[in-house]
Amino acid sequence: QVQVVESGGGLVQPGGSLRLSCRTSGIIFEIYAMGWYRQAPGKQRELVATITTTGTTHYDDSVKGRFTISRDNAKNRVYLQMNNLTPEDTAIYYCNADRVIIHYWGQGTQVTVSS
């Protein structure tokens, strides 16, 4: 049984930081590309950041220089360090495990940026 579970969301003030974590089980983690996506109210789900099996990263322009994606293959986890958060970052953040035509999603973790 495959599990993808996000954690680390919460309420933070503008300019603050959060670190999201995603743990997986039931898959061979190191052969999956991993990604973080987000969905704000009334908007479509959008890509935030991805990391390949070899550690190559990609970021949406809106988060470049503020967010950092990383992975720990020994722990079957992927992380998203989010700094200098703004209200526009408010969304549900989803973790994705991707291997060509196979995709696994978590249930999401809420991030709210507000004063």
Side-chain angles (χ1 to χ4, degrees):
Q1 181 181 359
V2 177
Q3 288 190 319
V4 179
V5 182
E6 303 94 338
S7 62
L11 173 64
V12 63
Q13 292 187 342
S17 298
L18 282 175
R19 188 193 192 208
L20 305 184
S21 177
C22 171
R23 64 174 177 85
T24 69
S25 61
I27 62 172
I28 304 173
F29 180 79
E30 56 263 33
I31 68 172
Y32 280 77
M34 300 298 298
W36 287 96
Y37 292 72
R38 66 186 180 187
Q39 187 167 16
K43 295 187 177 181
Q44 291 188 334
R45 190 174 299 189
E46 63 179 10
L47 171 71
V48 176
T50 60
I51 185 166
T52 68
T53 57
T54 57
T56 301
T57 58
H58 169 79
Y59 298 92
D60 183 78
D61 285 346
S62 65
V63 306
K64 278 182 181 176
R66 301 188 298 124
F67 291 11
T68 302
I69 187 171
S70 61
R71 65 188 296 158
D72 186 336
N73 289 345
K75 295 183 178 180
N76 294 345
R77 288 180 181 258
V78 63
Y79 304 96
L80 186 68
Q81 177 66 44
M82 306 186 295
N83 299 327
N84 195 21
L85 286 160
T86 73
E88 288 70 35
D89 296 315
T90 296
I92 299 174
Y93 283 70
Y94 297 92
C95 178
N96 170 260
D98 176 13
R99 180 162 174 78
V100 190
I101 62 172
I102 302 173
H103 300 272
Y104 297 109
W105 292 91
Q107 293 299 305
T109 185
Q110 176 71 47
V111 172
T112 302
V113 184
S114 175
S115 56

